Amino acid sequence: MADLTSSFVGIKSPNPFWLASAPPTDKEYNVTRAFQAGWGGVVWKTLGSDGPPIVNVGGPRYGAIWGADRRLLGLNNIELITDRPLQVNLDEIKRVKRAWRDRALVISLMVPCDEESWKDILRRIEDTEADGVELNFGCPHGMAERGMGSAVGQVPEYIEMVTAWVKKHSRMPCIVKLTPNIADIRKPAEAARRGGADAVSLINTINSITAVDLDAFSPEPMIDGKGTHGGYCGPAVKPIALNMVAEIARNADTRGLPISGIGGVTTWRDAAEFMALGAGNVQVCTAVMTYGFKIVHEMISGLSQYLDDKGMALSDLIGRAVPNVTDWQYLNLNYVTKAHIDQAACIKCGRCYAACEDTSHQAIAMSPDRVFTVKDEDCVACNLCVNVCPVEGCITMVPMAKGATDPRTGRKVADYANWTTHPNNPMARAAE
Ligand SMILES: Cc1cc2nc3c(=O)[nH]c(=O)nc-3n(C[C@H](O)[C@H](O)[C@H](O)COP(=O)(O)O)c2cc1C
C-alpha cells in the first residue's frame, strides 16, 4: 500500500485527510471517534474569545439541496462558531492531543479584529500543545455581521494585518482560511502570504439561500417566520472550490504557498483531484456529516490503490495537474472531437436527441425505430448529449484522427502540431 503519510506546513499526519472546522470537530467525543476511525487530523471547531456569549438559533440551522435520489448535494447552515466555553474546549484539546500524538490537531480561531484580542487568544491556546492555528476569515453569517469571519476575509488589507499579528505573537504554523465570497480569490491569498501565513485553506462556505417557503414567504431554514442567508457547502460546491484552489496554485504571486483543499470532498477521488490541482492535503465536513466518520476508510484505501496503480508517491500527485490548467486562449482550437453513441448501451430514451435537436446543433438523427446517430457534419462536440445521457459511457467524445478533414468546417485536423505557437493562433500572433 502506498505511503499516505503527510507533512503539511511541518504538521505530520498519517494521511492527508483532515476534518474541517465544524460540528464534527466541536468536542473531545467527536474528535476521539474521528481519530479512532482513522482521520489523519482535525481542525477544531472555531474558538472565539471569552466575550459576549455565542448563542445559536433555537430553530433549524440547516437547509439542503438534494438530487432526485434524495442524495444530499448541498448543505446550507446558519450556525455560529463554537458556543461551548473557551476553557472547556482548551482542556479537551489538550487531552485529545496528548492521547493522539501522531494526529494533526489544528485550532480554528476567530476573535475581534484588534491585536490584543489575537495576542490574548494565542497565549491561551499555547498550553494545549496543538500543532497549529487556522484563522477563520471565512464564515459568512452571524459573525460577519460582528466584523469577523468573512468581514475580514473580504478585505485583503485586514487579512494581511491579522496574519502578521498572529505570526508576531505565536510560533505556531498559521493557516489562513479563505472565504469564497469574493471576486478574485488570488487577492486574499496574496495578502495572507504578505502577512506571513504558512498556508491557506479554502473554501469556507458560500453565501446562499437554498429554498423559500412559498406559504410563509420566508427563506429556509425559517426561524419564527424569517430566514437569512447561510453558508453553502457539500458536493455542489466542489467545482467552485477546485477552481479557486487552482487559481491560487498557478498564480505567480502565491506559487509554492501550501494549500489545504476544502469543499465537497466526499471520496478519495475528490481528494485526489484537489491534490492534483495543488492542495497539499484536504479537509472534509459535509461528507462526514452525511455519512459518518468511517468514510475515511474508502478515502485511505482508494487513494493508496490509485497511487499504487500509477506507481506514484503522494508527493508526485500534489500539483500534478497545475501545469495543465491554462487560460482559454491557450486551448488548442485545432483539436476536434465528435460525439459517438454506443448502440449496444443505448436505451433509446431520446434525451440526447431532444437536447441536441431543441436546444443545440441538430446533430443527432433519430430513425423511425429510435436508433440515434450522430451527424458528424453538424456536431460541434459541445458534450451536451454526454451530459444528459442517463447511461454512463454510452455517449463519448472521440478525437478525430490527425490529418482527417472535419466535415463540419472543412478544416484538416491537427494540420499544425503546436497550437500555442502556430501563426493561426491569435494569441501567438499577439505575443510576437
Ligand atoms: C454546520 C457547519 C458549521 C461550520 N462551522 C465552521 C466553523 O466553525 N469554522 C470554519 O472555519 N468553518 C466552518 N464550516 C465550514 C467548513 O469547515 C467547510 O469549510 C465547508 O463546509 C466546506 O467543506 P465541505 O463541503 O466538506 O462541507 C462549517 C460548515 C458547516 C456545514
Side-chain angles (χ1 to χ4, degrees), residues 10 13 16 30 32 42 48 112 116 124 126 162 177-178 181 188 198 209 221 232 263 313 339 351 353 355 377 382 426:
S13 57
N30 288 5
T32 301
V42 301
E116 274 314 302
R124 292 194 62 182
E126 208 132 88
V162 178
K177 185 167 180 182
L178 303 179
N181 300 311
D198 298 283
I209 292 178
Y232 200 43
R351 273 201 207 168
Y353 175 78
E377 62 279 19
C382 69

Side-chain angles (χ1 to χ4, degrees), residues 232-382:
Y232 200 43
C233 52
V237 310
K238 185 185 121 187
I240 297 162
L242 282 178
N243 177 56
M244 289 186 166
V245 164
E247 288 278 285
I248 294 173
R250 72 194 189 96
N251 174 18
D253 291 334
T254 45
R255 195 158 294 141
L257 181 66
I259 303 170
S260 184
I262 317 170
V265 175
T266 309
T267 65
W268 73 266
R269 192 175 275 277
D270 298 326
E273 290 174 22
F274 271 94
M275 297 178 96
L277 285 176
N281 72 5
V282 292
Q283 298 182 30
V284 178
C285 168
T286 303
V288 288
M289 290 180 71
T290 313
Y291 303 111
F293 290 136
K294 287 186 180 159
I295 59 166
V296 75
H297 299 170
E298 182 271 354
M299 291 184 178
I300 292 170
S301 59
L303 186 61
S304 307
Q305 182 74 53
Y306 169 77
L307 293 174
D308 283 348
D309 290 351
K310 291 270 178 210
M312 279 163 48
L314 186 61
S315 55
D316 299 331
L317 173 62
I318 296 168
R320 185 81 176 241
V322 175
N324 291 330
V325 184
T326 187
D327 294 332
W328 193 96
Q329 66 264 30
Y330 300 117
L331 298 177
N332 185 350
L333 299 188
N334 194 44
Y335 174 77
V336 180
T337 60
K338 296 288 173 190
H340 176 262
I341 301 172
D342 177 354
Q343 298 301 335
C346 179
I347 58 170
K348 302 189 187 301
C349 67
R351 273 201 207 168
C352 60
Y353 175 78
C356 191
E357 189 68 19
D358 288 0
T359 71
S360 295
H361 303 277
Q362 297 74 49
I364 295 181
M366 176 172 69
S367 72
D369 56 344
R370 293 182 73 79
V371 174
F372 298 94
T373 44
V374 175
K375 297 184 261 177
D376 282 357
E377 62 279 19
D378 293 319
C379 178
V380 303
C382 69

Side-chain angles (χ1 to χ4, degrees), residues 20-21 23 45-46 62 77 136 177 203-204 233-234 262-264 285-286:
S21 174
K45 169 83 180 170
T46 305
Y62 306 144
N77 87 88
N136 179 350
K177 185 167 180 182
I203 58 174
N204 208 309
C233 52
I262 317 170
C285 168
T286 303

